[in-house]
């Protein structure tokens, strides 16, 4: 059954901010079996509505057929630099040239890309009823594709903590993201892998 994708601010208008905060307080995320991802939970519960209101990013709630928040994703756009060496084929280079400007000094492409800033399914829903990560990603990409028809663009990226389970999920088909860079957070020293794909 098709999931219902609703911007968080639309839900606020329908049922009120206090009700939404209460609903979201029950959201639980794991990045690996039994290991909580508190950052993703806290963003949804404490920042998502405010960021959406200020248009810093837009959070979408994915409701299942029982009207539970099965998952969520947060989208925005951001300029990024993608090293040419990360584009492992002539096809990838040709695609990138459609959307990006090449910098000869850096040997890299500068592009304004769609960023999946947050992404999680709700582990408080029983496992046999829980949305799959693949379906949640399809929902996120479907929204980005709608935006693409209005504003153009064709590159999507995200950042993942350096955990093999997460990276396997993002890189395998049908998600098919490819690593292109990495960074270490100044705040907590966590290593993040940056991944991209074309629409």
């Amino acid at each position: 059954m098709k999931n219902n994708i609703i911007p968080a601010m639309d839900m606020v208008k329908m049922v009120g901010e206090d009700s939404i905060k209460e609903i979201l307080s029950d959201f639980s995320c794991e990045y690996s079996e039994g290991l909580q991802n508190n950052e993703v939970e806290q963003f949804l519960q404490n920042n998502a509505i405010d960021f959406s209101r200020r248009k810093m990013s837009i959070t979408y709630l994915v409701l299942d057929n029982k009207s539970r928040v099965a998952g969520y994703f947060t989208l925005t756009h951001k300029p990024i630099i993608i090293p040419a060496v990360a584009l492992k084929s002539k096809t990838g280079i040709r695609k990138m040239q459609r959307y990006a400007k090449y910098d000869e000094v850096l040997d890299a492409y500068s592009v304004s890309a769609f960023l999946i800033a947050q992404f999680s399914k709700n582990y408080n829903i029983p496992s046999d009823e829980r949305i799959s990560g693949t379906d949640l990603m399809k929902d996120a990409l479907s929204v980005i594709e709608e935006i693409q028809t209005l504003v153009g663009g064709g590159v999507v990226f995200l950042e993942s903590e350096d955990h093999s389970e997460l990276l396997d999920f993002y890189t395998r088909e049908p998600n098919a993201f490819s690593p292109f860079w990495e960074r270490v957070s100044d705040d907590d020293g966590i290593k993040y892998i940056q991944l991209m794909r074309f629409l």
Side-chain angles (χ1 to χ4, degrees):
M1 182 173 289
K2 184 174 175 58
N3 295 310
N4 195 9
I5 307 169
I6 302 179
M9 287 306 297
D10 286 3
M11 286 284 287
V12 169
K13 292 173 185 175
M14 287 189 283
V15 300
E17 188 165 337
D18 289 342
S19 295
I20 287 299
K21 287 183 175 179
E22 183 176 350
I23 292 168
L24 298 182
S25 68
D26 192 46
F27 192 97
S28 176
C29 171
E30 298 179 6
Y31 63 77
S32 184
E33 196 62 39
L35 298 176
Q36 296 300 115
N37 191 331
N38 294 325
E39 178 188 342
V40 173
E41 291 175 14
Q42 289 173 7
F43 177 85
L44 179 64
Q45 294 161 0
N46 301 323
N47 302 113
I49 293 172
D50 182 53
F51 278 37
S52 291
R53 184 179 286 118
R54 294 161 62 191
K55 302 295 190 291
M56 293 174 62
S57 60
I58 303 297
T59 292
Y60 294 83
L61 307 177
V62 179
L63 307 184
D64 64 14
N65 58 2
K66 295 183 179 179
S67 296
R68 298 173 296 191
V69 178
Y72 89 98
F73 52 87
T74 300
L75 304 178
T76 188
H77 52 86
K78 186 175 181 179
I80 56 170
I81 302 294
I82 299 178
V85 69
L87 303 169
K88 299 180 171 80
S89 69
K90 291 182 180 179
T91 301
I93 291 172
R94 282 197 299 272
K95 285 183 178 179
M96 185 60 71
Q97 288 171 341
R98 292 169 53 190
Y99 306 113
K101 181 178 179 181
Y102 179 68
D103 186 313
E104 291 185 7
V105 175
L106 297 176
D107 190 25
Y109 292 88
S110 175
V111 59
S112 180
F114 300 105
L115 169 62
I116 302 176
Q118 302 287 344
F119 180 88
S120 177
K121 54 186 177 180
N122 188 356
Y123 282 81
N124 268 340
I125 292 177
S127 59
D128 60 337
E129 301 176 16
R130 195 178 300 152
I131 190 173
S132 72
T134 298
D135 284 345
L136 186 61
M137 182 61 73
K138 286 179 183 176
D139 288 339
L141 293 176
S142 73
V143 171
I144 293 173
E145 286 169 354
E146 288 181 22
I147 299 168
Q148 180 192 34
T149 65
L150 298 173
V151 301
V155 178
V156 183
F157 84 107
L158 54 81
E159 293 187 335
S160 169
E161 287 190 35
D162 190 15
H163 293 288
S164 58
E165 290 179 35
L166 285 174
L167 294 172
D168 179 64
F169 166 74
Y170 288 125
T171 56
R172 69 173 182 257
E173 295 290 344
N175 300 327
F177 282 82
S178 298
F180 69 88
W181 203 247
E182 61 185 52
R183 71 174 183 88
V184 176
S185 170
D186 293 333
D187 296 328
D188 49 26
I190 294 175
K191 180 180 176 182
Y192 291 92
I193 307 299
Q194 297 178 311
L195 305 101
M196 61 139 298
R197 62 160 285 172
F198 296 103
L199 287 175

